Amino acid sequence: MKKKIKGSLAKPEPSVIVAAAALSLCALLPLRVYQVSALIDPETGFFTQSSFTVPLFYVLLSVVVIAVMATSYLNDKACRARDLTVKSKPLGIVSAITAFALMFDAVYQMYSYIEVKAEYNPMIEQLTQSQYLSKSGATIMLLQAVFGVFAAFFFWIYTVACFSGKTKLKGYKLLSIAPILWAICRIIIRFIRKISFINISDLLLELFMLVFIITFTLAFAQVVTKVTPETVAWRLFGCGIPAALLAFLVSVPRLFLIIIGHADSLVPNYGFNPCDLAFALFIPLFLYNTATAKKAEESKA
């Protein structure tokens, strides 16, 4: 009976799931842009006034994320991926952009680490330098920079694989976990800062975004390096689509404020990060490549 129910629900194809998420983005993104530009205090990150758009945004986002995850799980066979190292120039270009974005973030984090380290004054601080760097989050910044470099290198290797269609990533298992560790460091830095984790809008979305990026990159690493890909493939869609959706909702409004000359409206420490937009572009294209590669494989069979 359970199998029958699951089979009856497992109708939507991966392309339908992606299309539904894209439509929801058309509704969520304008709401988020309005909130960031008109409702959020740039000094604290808190909502300054009540608005029907706030509960509407979070309810709609929750419904979409839960629906995508549930549908992807029920369609585990439809979303299943095998060897996805196929020739794809568009995916290779976006993968290269992601690599450059990660390298940019690594340079920025290293610069931030050097700045914090230079601020240490043993005459004022009642801590050793290592304790000061750890408490201020500089040590995690350094780790994020290191993992960012390795993550960029991994995406560069994947870029070469996309352009050649021949390079196999099976021998890069250890390197493939670098994007996961990079995202974990970002979460740790967010938790180190003493701030309300419930009311602040930007932090809440970023935390969920990073959690889904971690889950997606783990599944992505297992699939492209062929480490039991059949057991995690549904998470490519179930966690990848929410990750891309949240990455769009986090990065695009911030970029919009910068473009229109209102960068001062951004909350301190929550500025535009090119990595977020890069993942927002990479994940949907990767999933599209997954779906089309699977259909091509089925047509040959």
Side-chain angles (χ1 to χ4, degrees):
M1 184 68 180
K2 185 178 180 181
K3 290 183 178 179
K4 186 177 180 181
I5 293 173
K6 185 175 179 179
S8 64
L9 292 173
K11 291 181 180 180
E13 289 292 320
S15 56
V16 176
I17 301 173
V18 175
L23 288 174
S24 67
L25 180 63
C26 295
L28 287 166
L29 191 55
L31 287 175
R32 186 59 189 167
V33 170
Y34 167 71
Q35 291 175 1
V36 171
S37 58
L39 300 179
I40 297 177
D41 184 354
E43 293 186 4
T44 63
F46 290 85
F47 288 112
T48 56
Q49 54 183 305
S50 60
S51 171
F52 76 95
T53 64
V54 177
L56 177 63
F57 174 82
Y58 285 112
V59 169
L60 182 57
L61 179 61
S62 300
V63 169
V64 172
V65 170
I66 293 171
V68 167
M69 294 186 69
T71 308
S72 299
Y73 176 74
L74 294 171
N75 288 271
D76 54 349
K77 290 184 178 179
C79 296
R80 188 161 294 173
R82 295 178 180 84
D83 184 7
L84 301 178
T85 310
V86 295
K87 193 172 183 179
S88 174
K89 289 184 179 179
L91 184 59
I93 292 171
V94 177
S95 179
I97 292 172
T98 306
F100 282 117
L102 285 164
M103 186 60 71
F104 174 84
D105 181 76
V107 173
Y108 178 78
Q109 294 301 324
M110 181 60 71
Y111 177 76
S112 300
Y113 169 79
I114 294 172
E115 271 194 331
V116 174
K117 187 176 181 180
E119 292 173 356
Y120 173 71
N121 188 338
M123 302 298 294
I124 300 175
E125 302 290 341
Q126 297 179 346
L127 300 168
T128 64
Q129 187 179 59
S130 60
Q131 291 174 331
Y132 173 79
L133 293 175
S134 178
K135 186 177 180 180
S136 61
T139 303
I140 303 299
M141 291 178 189
L142 180 61
L143 289 174
Q144 183 176 326
V146 172
F147 291 133
V149 171
F150 285 114
F153 185 51
F154 176 72
F155 273 97
W156 181 252
I157 293 173
Y158 186 73
T159 299
V160 175
C162 290
F163 278 103
S164 66
K166 298 177 181 179
T167 305
K168 303 299 180 182
L169 283 79
K170 194 173 182 179
Y172 297 96
K173 295 182 178 67
L174 187 60
L175 190 63
S176 68
I177 66 173
I180 305 167
L181 297 175
W182 168 83
I184 290 174
C185 287
R186 280 189 66 180
I187 284 186
I188 294 174
I189 289 176
R190 290 300 184 229
F191 274 102
I192 285 176
R193 295 197 177 106
K194 294 180 180 179
I195 202 164
S196 172
F197 292 94
I198 298 175
N199 296 320
I200 188 165
S201 175
D202 286 284
L203 178 59
L204 186 64
L205 285 183
E206 270 201 31
L207 289 177
F208 281 111
M209 176 194 72
L210 290 170
V211 168
F212 280 113
I213 286 179
I214 289 170
T215 312
F216 167 79
T217 50
L218 177 59
F220 169 71
Q222 289 183 250
V223 169
V224 298
T225 58
K226 299 182 181 179
V227 179
T228 61
E230 65 282 352
T231 63
V232 300
W234 76 270
R235 275 191 270 141
L236 291 175
F237 289 84
C239 297
I241 294 175
L245 182 64
L246 286 163
F248 271 116
L249 294 173
V250 167
S251 61
V252 173
R254 297 177 184 179
L255 181 60
F256 173 76
L257 288 180
I258 293 173
I259 291 174
I260 64 175
H262 288 284
D264 56 333
S265 297
L266 294 174
V267 181
N269 299 316
Y270 293 91
F272 172 71
N273 190 327
C275 293
D276 299 337
L277 186 57
F279 274 109
L281 297 173
F282 173 80
I283 295 173
L285 193 55
F286 174 80
L287 296 178
Y288 172 79
N289 191 67
T290 300
T292 53
K294 185 180 183 297
K295 286 183 178 180
E297 183 181 289
E298 290 174 347
S299 63
K300 290 180 181 178

